[in-house]
Amino acid sequence: QLFDEVSAVYHADSPEAAATAKVIHRCLAKGVKREEAPALIASPLLAEGVPGMPSPAPEALAEVPEGEVSADAARAESAFEALFWRPRTPKPEDSGFMTVEVVVGHGNVIRY
C-alpha cells in the first residue's frame, strides 16, 4: 500500500477542475464517515493563466501584457511551493502513517 489516506482534494476554480474534483472527492468519500472524508478545497493558486510565454508565441497570446505573464508566473510558483515543495523533517512521534493530497487543475497551470 502506497499511502494510508487522502487528506485533501485541491482544485482550480475553473468549472472543469471543480467538476473533476467533485467526482474524485465523491469516490474517495464513499464508505467513510463524513468527518473522515478528505477536504475538498478550491485554491485560487491553481487558477488558469499564462505563467510563461512560449517561443515562438502563438498569435492567440500576442496581446497578453507582460505584467499579466509575470503575475501568473508568480502565482504558479506559489502554487508549486504551497502544494508540492514541502520538505519536512520526520518527528519522533511520526508513526509511519502517510497521507497524500490530490491536486486537480486543467490547462496550462499543469504544464507550469
Side-chain angles (χ1 to χ4, degrees):
Q1 183 172 328
L2 295 175
F3 56 88
D4 296 295
E5 72 178 32
V6 176
S7 60
V9 179
Y10 292 92
H11 65 87
D13 56 2
S14 73
E16 300 87 357
T20 302
K22 286 178 185 173
V23 169
I24 293 169
H25 182 262
R26 190 170 41 243
C27 291
L28 292 170
K30 193 173 189 172
V32 299
K33 296 176 187 171
R34 182 178 206 100
E35 63 273 3
E36 294 173 359
L40 183 61
I41 304 167
S43 175
L45 293 175
L46 295 170
E48 289 305 313
V50 182
M53 192 60 70
S55 180
E59 219 175 285
L61 297 179
E63 302 298 319
V64 177
E66 182 57 38
E68 184 178 328
V69 175
S70 296
D72 286 347
R75 183 181 39 73
E77 181 64 26
S78 293
F80 176 77
E81 289 176 5
L83 297 172
F84 296 102
W85 189 77
R86 290 188 264 176
R88 81 177 181 94
T89 305
K91 298 180 177 109
E93 64 270 14
D94 284 351
S95 64
F97 186 83
M98 184 188 301
T99 63
V100 296
E101 299 166 332
V102 176
V103 178
V104 180
H106 283 264
N108 56 19
V109 77
I110 293 170
R111 291 188 293 268
Y112 176 80

